[in-house]
Amino acid sequence: MTALSDFPITTKWPALRPDRIQLYSLPTPNGVKVSIMLEETGLPYEPHLVRFDTNEQYSPEFLSLSPNNKIPAILDPNGPDDRPLGLFESGAILLYLADKSGKFIPQDAGGRYETIQWLMFQMGGIGPMFGQVGFFNKFAGKEYEDKRPRDRYVAEARRLLAVLDTRLADRAWIMGDAYTIADIATFPWVRNLIGFYEAGDLVGIGDFKHVTRALEAFLARPAVVRGLDIPKRV
């Protein structure tokens, strides 16, 4: 039977609690999706910090589990058929943890697929586009004299926020009264856009009152507060 010790990643990040889900991550918008989900579900896990400042995401050990060299990744010792399972890609991990815990995704087929639809909306739209706004507003792209690339991504970010705001106009959360993985995926990115990326004024976040209301409710959840700081930076 395969054991966690058979996975090369555990040679660089040894599992002190091999009976628990192993989380390899960093507290970025994509990373905290999974730490928040783990905190919300109560599934036992052990976090490991993947340091970008020393390029650990490119190490052979990390690539053996996450070949796209992106965080987060997990290794579940108690996967399907009682065999260890490794996963990368935050959306896939959220779906797996929702199924494993039976939480934060509707149990009816229609509701499940609608939730997955909004998860894909975040993965394919909000994440990449908000990230481009961050690049052009705060990082290297800030120095570009030509502001057309920045303005293009700002306009797209506003369009996506408008879609989300309309969705939230008559409901507490993306799927209605129920808090789901769609929210866990989306709101870390909204928080990052107006916080770390310092782009709140640029995108006119005040125009999206339903988004900001839901973001405040999200950030008030105790599991979210904990998950936003996991793994702790050292």
Side-chain angles (χ1 to χ4, degrees), residues 121 124-126 129-130 152-166 203 208:
F121 172 76
I126 283 180
M129 294 301 103
F130 287 13
R152 177 183 186 277
Y153 289 116
V154 168
E156 180 62 4
R158 280 186 55 82
R159 188 190 70 81
L160 293 166
L161 285 166
V163 172
L164 186 60
D165 202 63
T166 300
V203 300
F208 308 104

Side-chain angles (χ1 to χ4, degrees), residues 89-102:
E89 283 294 336
S90 58
I93 297 170
L94 288 178
L95 280 168
Y96 174 72
L97 295 176
D99 287 343
K100 183 179 180 72
S101 65

Side-chain angles (χ1 to χ4, degrees), residues 60-93:
E61 295 87 353
F62 187 72
L63 291 172
S64 70
L65 183 61
S66 181
N68 197 32
N69 65 266
K70 303 295 184 183
I71 59 94
I74 65 166
L75 187 52
D76 184 0
N78 304 301
D81 302 319
D82 295 321
R83 300 179 63 181
L85 175 68
L87 287 174
F88 68 99
E89 283 294 336
S90 58
I93 297 170

Side-chain angles (χ1 to χ4, degrees), residues 167-202:
R167 176 70 179 180
L168 291 164
D170 59 354
R171 63 195 75 210
W173 300 105
I174 292 172
M175 286 301 297
D177 292 335
Y179 171 78
T180 69
I181 57 173
D183 305 293
I184 294 172
T186 300
F187 289 109
W189 273 104
V190 178
R191 171 181 178 266
N192 210 62
L193 178 71
I194 64 180
F196 183 64
Y197 289 162
E198 302 171 357
D201 290 340
L202 187 63

